[in-house]
Amino acid sequence: MSRKIYVFDTTLRDGEQVPGAKLNRRQKLEIAEQLAKLGVDIIEAGFPCSSPEDLKAVQTVAEQVKGPVIAALARAVPSDIDLAWEAVQKAERPRIHVFLPSSDIHLQKKLRRDRESALQQAVEAVKYAKKYCEDVEYSTEDASRSDFDYLCRVIEACVKAGATVINVPDTVGYAIPEPYGELIRSLRERVPALDKVILSVHCHNDLGLAVANSLAAIRNGAQQVECTINGVGERAGNASLEEIVMALRTREAFYNAHTDIVTTEIYRTSRMVSRLMKIPVQPNKAIVGANAFAHSSGIHQDGILKDRSTYEIIRPEDVGVKAHSLVLTARSGRAALRHRLQELGYNLTEEQFERVHKRFLNVADRKKEISGQDLTSIVEVELTKVPETYTFHSLQIMSGNTMQPLASVTLLKEGRQITDAATGNGPVNAVFNCIERIVGQEGKLLDYDLKAVTMGKDALGEAMVRVEINGTVYSGIGTSPDVIEASARAYVNAFNRFFANGNL
Ligand code: KIV
Ligand code: ZN
């Protein structure tokens, strides 16, 4: 019988550590509810000692999300563990996740500690957490660079102290598949106590090997895999949930292992995380990228038309990417739009529907056909809007390769039009400069991503920006058939976030 692999999703904790991707309580809850639908076994909802807001967010998830275990992270100190428990105690199935480094590099250079006192601290922390909670996970941070004998001693002692899950993280993404798999196998052989608990892995993607390392670990006996949606996470990110899950599903016979993930919910979850964290998914990203199922070469298209299995190892519908037949136009009525939204899985309130309808008409007036992907993008942008201190109204550009681009932008503030003009080193830059002049606040553009939501000359453009304003990073998203307008909408959206944060 194939082994069940527990999926531990840390999008809301490790994934959220990406600068600018901070989620508020409502957004965390929305993602956590979707993760429950996706069928993850454990949701790591946050790091409660990091801020009072995160503590409240984890509490909300713990109280409202039913099904998965809800975990909270804590350093191996009583004050953190107290807060982690305060956060998860109302969950149906709470877990406290405690961590402390085990590598000499971290112990000596970061904590200035010796191995023995750290081992003692680990044991005391597990015992302390255990007083609150039956389910305690212990992570040996930087395990892949730790001395093997010492690692075995720490793990053995923590299991004896009551840990129910032992996690062996590749914190800095240093591992490579064969040795990491070998590490997991050797730990199982050397620490018989591991038979009594769940052995977990947690891989980072600094060498682009997080998924390969996780799979190698599973092949060698790991029972829990820690990962994030779209592979989001600090630096190069964490192992991507969808890639691990689909690799196990596609090659189940080889791994003799499976997960209980509802794979048809993968695409929706990926879009939601990208939208709420404002982290675009690269087009060629496996499983969820815009091109993951697009066949462009003639030979491939010919094969696909004859039999999909020629060039397709996963059916798009298996991960929730639907072939949309019904295309809407500006003349489609409200009923057709409502029906299509329901088909796409959106149950909007009347107020949300009205906003989407208004934006739909605005886009449909300029674009002949609105596909399911276009509509998804429109809905997602509308739903993430913060209160609009400024609303985009219109823009004009004068640009060319022999002149300095000049933009004029009009925004609305409390219904009043404010227009200004600015130059820039390109048309988008001129528009951004103009927006800054209108809102009276400078921003430093850190990231700018523009993609076509669908194929074709009249594709809808989706722009995402990350802007540093007054020392804090804000993200913004905007769509339009006109890419400069999409960029302007995204920039205004980022400033509205800044103003919504009490910066008026
Ligand atoms: O990467 C890491 O080591 C972690 C631990 C806290 C599990 O995120
Ligand atoms: Zn991590």
Side-chain angles (χ1 to χ4, degrees):
M1 243 261 287
S2 134
R3 272 186 313 136
K4 150 125 182 171
I5 303 299
Y6 293 89
V7 176
F8 176 115
D9 181 277
T10 182
T11 306
L12 299 179
R13 197 278 298 170
D14 224 346
E16 208 212 6
Q17 286 173 213
V18 178
K22 196 107 200 83
L23 299 166
N24 62 32
R25 210 186 317 177
R26 185 185 49 76
Q27 293 169 326
K28 272 205 170 187
L29 181 61
E30 190 178 338
I31 293 181
E33 276 166 349
Q34 179 58 30
L35 290 172
K37 272 197 207 144
L38 178 66
V40 308
D41 299 285
I42 303 104
I43 296 175
E44 184 164 54
F47 190 19
C49 79
S50 66
S51 70
E53 178 52 28
D54 202 44
L55 167 69
K56 284 199 205 112
V58 181
Q59 270 171 338
T60 309
V61 170
E63 281 166 22
Q64 299 193 28
V65 179
K66 306 294 168 207
V69 169
I70 308 294
L73 185 68
R75 288 168 299 183
V77 292
S79 54
D80 271 28
I81 296 171
D82 292 340
L83 288 173
W85 179 242
E86 199 179 323
V88 293
Q89 59 182 320
K90 299 229 171 88
E92 251 175 14
R93 294 189 292 150
R95 174 180 296 179
I96 299 178
H97 178 190
V98 180
F99 74 102
L100 189 71
S102 52
S103 70
D104 287 340
I105 303 182
H106 276 218
L107 288 178
Q108 289 165 12
K109 303 209 165 131
K110 186 171 87 173
L111 300 182
R112 305 197 190 289
R113 300 283 303 278
D114 62 80
R115 287 182 183 177
E116 294 317 309
S117 73
L119 192 150
Q120 201 48 45
Q121 183 180 341
V123 167
E124 277 161 20
V126 171
K127 287 187 176 157
Y128 189 83
K130 198 75 185 177
K131 280 198 229 150
Y132 286 131
C133 188
E134 167 48 33
D135 191 358
V136 174
E137 170 164 342
Y138 184 78
S139 280
T140 54
E141 192 189 10
D142 204 18
S144 52
R145 294 192 300 168
S146 301
D147 174 79
F148 182 68
D149 290 332
Y150 178 65
L151 188 62
C152 291
R153 285 179 55 215
V154 172
I155 291 175
E156 193 158 21
C158 287
V159 175
K160 200 161 161 216
T164 42
V165 181
I166 293 290
N167 184 33
V168 182
D170 178 30
T171 303
V172 292
Y174 171 78
I176 47 178
E178 290 78 8
Y180 190 60
E182 196 44 47
L183 171 66
I184 299 302
R185 178 182 295 278
S186 312
L187 284 173
R188 294 213 78 105
E189 283 164 10
R190 270 282 298 277
V191 188
L194 276 174
D195 288 344
K196 294 189 253 160
V197 300
I198 300 275
L199 180 56
S200 170
V201 286
H202 173 117
C203 297
H204 280 267
N205 206 27
D206 299 68
L207 292 174
L209 293 171
V211 170
N213 289 334
S214 305
L215 292 170
I218 288 171
R219 181 112 169 104
N220 284 281
Q223 297 141 295
Q224 174 180 288
V225 67
E226 303 198 356
C227 42
T228 59
I229 301 295
N230 300 338
V232 293
E234 256 186 301
R235 309 186 308 277
N238 287 58
S240 133
L241 179 146
E242 59 279 4
E243 291 178 24
I244 295 174
V245 166
M246 292 314 289
L248 289 179
R249 187 178 143 137
T250 309
R251 305 300 303 267
E252 185 173 345
F254 177 78
Y255 286 104
N256 194 24
H258 68 274
T259 70
D260 284 344
I261 291 295
V262 181
T263 61
T264 47
E265 290 292 331
I266 284 179
Y267 186 66
R268 180 190 303 277
T269 318
S270 159
R271 288 288 314 181
M272 182 186 282
V273 167
S274 168
R275 158 174 64 92
L276 292 175
M277 289 189 155
K278 308 284 180 308
I279 304 177
V281 174
Q282 74 199 57
N284 58 324
K285 165 85 176 62
I287 318 295
V288 289
N291 296 344
F293 301 103
H295 301 275
S296 48
S297 96
I299 295 175
H300 288 206
Q301 287 176 345
D302 179 54
I304 285 284
L305 289 174
K306 288 178 175 142
D307 188 323
R308 297 200 77 83
S309 68
T310 50
Y311 286 100
E312 220 166 64
I313 57 162
I314 299 167
R315 293 181 311 161
E317 52 271 34
D318 289 348
V319 295
V321 176
K322 293 189 190 104
H324 304 303
S325 50
L326 181 63
V327 172
L328 299 177
T329 68
R331 281 165 303 286
S332 310
R334 299 166 72 89
L337 176 63
R338 216 182 274 279
H339 174 79
R340 191 76 187 93
L341 287 168
Q342 268 160 8
E343 246 182 25
L344 291 167
Y346 293 108
N347 291 313
L348 306 185
T349 63
E350 262 321 291
E351 188 267 330
Q352 288 171 327
F353 177 78
E354 288 308 325
R355 266 168 39 207
V356 168
H357 182 238
K358 193 165 157 213
R359 185 80 187 112
F360 163 77
L361 287 179
N362 179 294
V363 174
D365 269 345
R366 291 179 286 164
K367 189 177 184 306
K368 277 200 302 282
E369 295 182 335
I370 303 286
S371 69
Q373 279 145 304
D374 292 332
L375 200 53
T376 303
S377 173
I378 292 172
V379 175
E380 291 180 350
V381 171
E382 283 307 311
L383 295 193
T384 49
K385 276 206 176 138
V386 284
E388 294 202 305
T389 308
Y390 291 91
T391 306
F392 175 82
H393 179 272
S394 54
L395 62 78
Q396 284 90 38
I397 307 277
M398 271 172 51
S399 180
N401 59 351
T402 54
M403 64 174 289
Q404 191 174 25
L406 172 69
S408 157
V409 176
T410 302
L411 303 184
L412 299 177
K413 188 173 187 204
E414 291 159 2
R416 194 168 50 87
Q417 291 191 7
I418 313 177
T419 304
D420 210 330
T423 55
N425 54 21
V428 173
N429 180 246
V431 166
F432 288 178
N433 289 342
C434 202
I435 292 170
E436 289 178 17
R437 284 171 63 95
I438 295 177
V439 303
Q441 183 70 46
E442 282 188 12
K444 184 170 161 207
L445 185 67
L446 301 180
D447 260 335
Y448 170 59
D449 182 87
L450 183 64
K451 71 168 192 219
V453 174
T454 42
M455 307 275 202
K457 281 192 189 147
D458 71 341
L460 190 68
E462 187 175 276
M464 287 196 192
V465 293
R466 288 194 318 125
V467 192
E468 191 181 316
I469 311 170
N470 251 359
T472 306
V473 181
Y474 297 89
S475 341
I477 184 167
T479 53
S480 168
D482 176 323
V483 292
I484 298 186
E485 181 186 323
S487 311
R489 287 180 178 276
Y491 211 59
V492 174
N493 183 231
F495 275 96
N496 279 334
R497 268 169 217 287
F498 167 73
F499 294 121
N501 224 12
N503 289 307
L504 261 183

